Amino acid sequence: MSDPHIPTVVDFSALFNEACASHETPEGLVENLMPQVSKTSWLLITSNSLVEATESTTLTMVLERAIPHGVSIALDVAWQPHSWGLEPGSQPPPEVLRRFLPLAQEAALIHCTPEEADDFFSSHDPLAIHSSLSQRPGVAITGTDGSVRWCLGGRMGTMETRMHDDQASFFSALIKSFAEHPELLGNAGEGPGTDAAADPDGLTDALRSAAST
């Protein structure tokens, strides 16, 4: 039984920053983080977790231990060039893409903007991104106009403009919906990332609920 004090979705960077107050090495940080990570349903990570060597190494070690525990990975691309010492509007250089690929290959659910999709996946078609990765993740692409294009649970769709006000809040709420109803990303016990066709009404409800947060 899961610990009621551990949320179904935890943010890796937030946990990492808290743990850094008392641990300095990746090994010590991993041991501090795993009791919480291993009991959650979803671990939220972003590309910015790759900037600093200690956080990146810790994340790699955490994923190696968390995924066998059944923890699903939600990847929010959240590209911030200034975090990497780049000019605003810069595209990710090859080194960033090299570091990013292993995260994308572990994710059960991916969120990005159309611009991030083009920069990191060479396509802003959610089905193309879904199909390009062997684990077949769910993909949600949100525009600044409030629109959503998605490939989730073996289904595809779009939501019109002005459906959401904040991309990060939308994705956070969507992850929580899938934590509560994992069959919306996969069924028959196969888990997130499969091509099983989810219930369309349930999926629509989850998307609209996330958009309203």
Side-chain angles (χ1 to χ4, degrees), residues 2-209:
S2 62
D3 188 331
H5 300 293
I6 296 178
T8 56
V9 182
V10 297
D11 184 326
F12 171 77
S13 289
L15 288 183
F16 175 86
N17 289 336
E18 292 176 5
C20 276
S22 56
H23 297 80
E24 296 182 357
T25 67
E27 292 77 10
L29 289 162
V30 171
E31 294 306 318
N32 180 272
L33 297 176
M34 281 309 299
Q36 298 178 75
V37 172
S38 64
K39 294 178 182 179
T40 193
S41 298
W42 285 86
L43 182 65
L44 172 62
I45 59 178
T46 76
S47 60
N48 296 310
S49 296
L50 302 173
V51 176
E52 300 295 338
T54 299
E55 183 171 1
S56 179
T57 300
T58 302
L59 175 59
T60 298
M61 296 169 68
V62 165
L63 293 182
E64 289 175 349
R65 294 175 58 175
I67 292 172
H69 276 280
V71 178
S72 296
I73 306 304
L75 172 60
D76 191 352
V77 176
W79 172 237
Q80 297 178 6
H82 67 273
S83 297
W84 297 80
L86 301 173
E87 292 295 321
S90 296
Q91 296 179 328
E95 175 60 20
V96 172
L97 296 177
R98 184 189 68 79
R99 295 193 212 178
F100 175 82
L101 182 59
L103 298 188
Q105 292 172 331
E106 297 291 1
L109 182 62
I110 295 173
H111 168 250
C112 53
T113 65
E115 295 77 15
E116 290 169 342
D118 283 331
D119 288 344
F120 282 85
F121 301 103
S122 300
S123 173
H124 55 262
D125 179 354
L127 177 60
I129 297 172
H130 164 88
S131 301
S132 70
L133 295 163
S134 61
Q135 81 280 18
R136 301 295 189 264
V139 179
I141 300 177
T142 56
T144 55
D145 60 358
S147 63
V148 185
R149 299 180 65 201
W150 49 267
C151 178
L152 301 164
R155 298 186 182 277
M156 294 177 57
T158 61
M159 297 175 69
E160 59 270 26
T161 59
R162 297 185 296 279
M163 284 303 299
H164 63 86
D165 296 322
D166 182 84
Q167 295 174 343
S169 296
F170 169 82
F171 189 49
S172 178
L174 189 62
I175 300 169
K176 291 177 181 177
S177 289
F178 292 143
E180 295 172 359
H181 303 285
E183 71 278 4
L184 294 179
L185 274 179
N187 62 15
E190 296 178 29
T194 72
D195 283 323
D199 171 61
D201 292 334
L203 197 52
T204 298
D205 288 344
L207 287 160
R208 291 190 177 278
S209 176

